[in-house]
Amino acid sequence: SPITCPTCHAMLTCPVFCSTCRAPNESALNLDYFQLLNLRPSFAVDEANLNNAFRAATRVIHPDRFANADDAAKSTAIRLSALLNEAVRTLKDPLLRAEYLLKLANGPDAIAVRDVPKNLLVDVMMMREQLEEARTNGDHQTLSDMRESIKLRRQQTLDLLAQSADSLAHATDEAKREFRIQLNAMKYYDHL
């Protein structure tokens, strides 16, 4: 829905800044990352659109532009700039983006649900032993093969997350829990 400037009530084309009264929009601090960058909430993010939105927003809200403004405007610009940096960092990374979509859907965090897919811990323990043995023996082929196998498992899990991420807002608590479990698995693959 359209956002209006809290100061002059003009329609904002960029959620972080009013081009009419030239003021940073403090209420943008309460927007989610997708709203902040004028993007549709989705797991599939076009990186070019994301970069363009980020550059457009940072160009108008950069703290240097408010060097001569009052303290409130300076503070808001600094906070919005930091929030934009965090938003683009989160939305560029598929795993962080999946975590964020789960958070927006009020799903469980990694502290609330620590479970992982069945047999993952046994598989990880066996892979670690194989990796250690291959390292000790200087078996570069086995290390390379295992690296590819782990990459494949990680990608398969990421594909599962991508398939269900956009429906999280309307998902059951059990579906959100299962999503969290798959996110937890990603951390094991990344560590390997």
Side-chain angles (χ1 to χ4, degrees):
S1 61
I3 300 173
T4 59
C5 175
T7 305
C8 72
H9 306 292
M11 296 294 270
L12 300 181
T13 56
C14 178
V16 298
F17 178 76
C18 178
S19 57
T20 303
C21 70
R22 319 286 303 159
N25 179 18
E26 185 173 14
S27 65
L29 293 165
N30 299 319
L31 299 176
D32 71 50
Y33 294 165
F34 293 99
Q35 293 169 326
L36 191 65
L37 292 163
N38 268 335
L39 299 173
R40 185 179 69 79
S42 173
F43 183 79
V45 171
D46 181 306
E47 198 159 327
N49 287 344
L50 175 60
N51 287 334
N52 289 339
F54 174 70
R55 278 194 297 274
T58 55
R59 188 172 25 257
V60 296
I61 203 64
H62 194 280
D64 290 348
R65 293 184 63 125
F66 297 92
N68 296 325
D70 62 39
D71 289 345
K74 284 180 196 176
S75 174
T76 299
I78 290 168
R79 292 171 38 219
L80 284 169
S81 185
L83 187 61
L84 283 164
N85 286 322
E86 177 63 22
V88 78
R89 185 183 74 78
T90 298
L91 298 182
K92 274 189 175 185
D93 182 296
L95 188 54
L96 294 177
R97 189 168 56 246
E99 287 269 3
Y100 190 69
L101 286 166
L102 183 60
K103 177 182 173 184
L104 289 178
N106 295 314
D109 62 19
I111 295 170
V113 174
R114 295 180 180 194
D115 298 342
V116 293
K118 187 178 179 181
N119 297 327
L120 178 72
L121 296 178
V122 172
D123 290 348
V124 166
M125 190 168 57
M126 287 177 24
M127 285 187 274
R128 282 185 180 153
E129 288 173 5
Q130 291 171 339
L131 284 168
E132 187 57 38
E133 184 177 324
R135 279 190 200 114
T136 301
N137 296 332
D139 186 348
H140 300 290
Q141 185 60 49
T142 298
L143 288 170
S144 178
D145 292 346
M146 290 191 71
R147 185 177 300 115
E148 290 306 312
S149 174
I150 293 165
K151 277 183 178 177
L152 179 63
R153 285 179 181 221
R154 184 187 189 283
Q155 187 58 51
Q156 289 170 337
T157 303
L158 191 58
D159 291 345
L160 280 173
L161 291 168
Q163 290 171 10
S164 57
D166 289 341
S167 61
L168 282 171
H170 308 291
T172 64
D173 288 344
E174 185 54 37
K176 291 174 188 176
R177 185 179 186 285
E178 182 57 36
F179 193 87
R180 163 52 54 203
I181 288 170
Q182 295 301 322
L183 278 171
N184 292 348
M186 291 293 286
K187 292 176 183 174
Y188 281 89
Y189 295 136
D190 286 347
H191 187 343
L192 282 172

